[in-house]
Amino acid sequence: MSSFNQPLGGNEMARFGGPATMMRLPAQVGAQGLDVAFIGIPMDHGTSNRSGTRLGPRQIRDESRMLRPYNMATGAAPFDHLQVADIGDVPINTFDLKKTVDIITDYYDEVLSHGAIPLTLGGDHTLTWPILRAMKERNGPVALIHVDAHADINDTMFGEKVAHGCPFRRAWEDGCLQNDKVFQIGLRGTGYSPDDFDWGRRNGWTVVQAEECWHKSLTPLMAEIRARIGDAPCYLSYDIDSLDPAFAPGTGTVEPGGLTIWQGLEIVRGAAGLNLVGGDLVEVSPPYDPSGNTALIGANLLYEMLCALPGMPQGVRR
Ligand code: MN
Ligand code: MN
């Protein structure tokens, strides 16, 4: 009998029954005693186009119900090695975005004080900046793998400093990032000027545009990224709109020509071996995909992040 929390099995309760926690794990209040905490941030007041990501955490939890504990591809068995639970949602202020980012930082500071690694169910991408602020307090500046159709480095949107197109500009200003270890993957679409992507490059970041990813495996790219990040603490921020809308239509700022599912899996699986200190899966907007498949993909990518965490034996590699 394992001493670790286990997801409720498919033969114990029908998969469409029981409480809708992440992976049907136990729910608990706070991160005491946990190695890993799944956390929802039900917000969309940072979005600039279609909203709806406030409903993301709930649908990701619901669609996570088919996830089984063992990773057939990598051999990872996270619930044999890590104490994991769903600690619910951050009590954001849905009428005040600026208060919300401070609420998030305080909440993650508390989570990190228990030594738990946070894996976050978004929510719009604004939320990564306040998480990175809390990370900086605990770990110092982090390396970053940012998978997205967009650079999210706008100085302002409508004159506002807090928005889902600005989190990495704010994180940079706050000294949250190791600039020679920042990797943005999947960027594409239309912009205002080349500077939309070159701003990061000028700051030492590596930007891998979607077109550089087309028609090929990203496993070699991830090997290069692992070599360059080394043992630095690393945060993984995964915007679901990095995927092509053919795979993941349920999001607010869609760009064609994106990554494939299998490239997304290669990226997250390729993060195994890094000193991952946290991760998020953001921008799932349920109203734009009534099938739930976008949320289901998001749930799977969060599970893959769990399987890639430090100390996780990777049984086989395919
Ligand atoms: Mn984003
Ligand atoms: Mn995006």
Side-chain angles (χ1 to χ4, degrees):
M1 193 67 187
S2 170
S3 59
F4 296 109
N5 290 339
Q6 299 296 313
L8 188 59
N11 295 313
E12 298 169 75
M13 167 65 75
R15 289 202 173 272
F16 38 86
T21 59
M22 184 63 185
M23 280 199 77
R24 313 201 322 155
L25 283 159
Q28 75 170 52
V29 177
Q32 301 88 339
L34 296 182
D35 299 308
V36 183
F38 283 114
I39 306 164
I41 307 185
M43 64 183 290
D44 60 9
H45 41 344
T47 59
S48 55
N49 189 34
R50 306 166 177 171
S51 59
T53 58
R54 64 176 60 187
L55 303 172
R58 247 184 208 197
Q59 199 187 33
I60 292 169
R61 286 187 173 102
D62 190 13
E63 296 297 340
S64 75
R65 66 185 183 264
M66 276 304 294
L67 285 164
R68 306 167 192 89
Y70 181 71
N71 191 320
M72 303 299 288
T74 69
F79 306 105
D80 291 351
H81 301 279
L82 298 169
Q83 183 70 319
V84 191
D86 184 335
I87 66 168
D89 292 330
V90 178
I92 59 111
N93 182 329
T94 198
F95 301 109
D96 191 321
L97 185 58
K98 289 172 182 146
K99 284 182 180 164
T100 291
V101 292
D102 289 340
I103 290 168
I104 293 170
T105 298
D106 290 346
Y107 188 97
Y108 280 73
D109 190 52
E110 163 73 12
V111 168
L112 296 173
S113 76
H114 296 288
I117 295 175
L119 294 179
T120 300
L121 294 59
D124 75 64
H125 220 157
T126 310
L127 60 85
T128 305
W129 168 48
I131 294 173
L132 289 173
R133 288 195 305 197
M135 289 280 164
K136 185 194 168 198
E137 290 304 308
R138 292 278 156 189
N139 302 300
V142 293
L144 175 71
I145 299 172
H146 168 212
V147 193
D148 203 322
H150 312 96
D152 292 353
I153 50 81
N154 292 295
D155 185 23
T156 60
M157 299 180 88
F158 264 79
E160 298 294 334
K161 294 264 187 188
V162 187
H164 79 154
C166 308
F168 299 103
R169 182 70 156 247
R170 298 286 88 77
W172 172 81
E173 284 175 351
D174 286 346
C176 299
L177 303 173
Q178 296 191 25
N179 290 302
D180 60 336
K181 296 182 171 64
V182 173
F183 298 87
Q184 297 186 297
I185 307 170
L187 279 56
R188 62 188 186 271
T190 51
Y192 290 101
S193 78
D195 205 48
D196 292 4
F197 296 166
D198 289 345
W199 183 89
R201 291 181 173 121
R202 283 205 309 280
N203 286 299
W205 302 5
T206 301
V207 178
V208 183
Q209 293 182 217
E211 289 77 6
E212 300 171 66
C213 301
W214 285 358
H215 313 300
K216 63 185 183 192
S217 166
L218 298 187
T219 298
L221 171 68
M222 292 309 296
E224 182 189 331
I225 288 174
R226 286 196 305 275
R228 287 179 54 189
I229 291 178
D231 59 5
C234 180
Y235 189 85
L236 174 58
S237 186
Y238 199 108
D239 186 327
I240 198 75
D241 72 25
S242 61
L243 297 176
D244 192 84
F247 300 100
T251 192
T253 39
V254 165
E255 310 286 353
L259 305 180
T260 63
I261 295 277
W262 34 102
Q263 288 175 320
L265 291 169
E266 286 173 336
I267 291 170
V268 180
R269 290 175 183 168
L274 289 167
N275 178 20
L276 287 176
V277 293
D280 60 51
L281 189 291
V282 298
E283 298 286 353
V284 170
S285 180
Y288 292 94
D289 184 1
S291 80
N293 288 353
T294 304
L296 187 149
I297 293 162
N300 274 267
L301 289 170
L302 282 159
Y303 169 71
E304 294 286 345
M305 288 184 202
L306 177 66
C307 292
L309 292 181
M312 182 65 50
Q314 307 288 313
V316 278
R317 283 266 184 187
R318 294 196 176 89

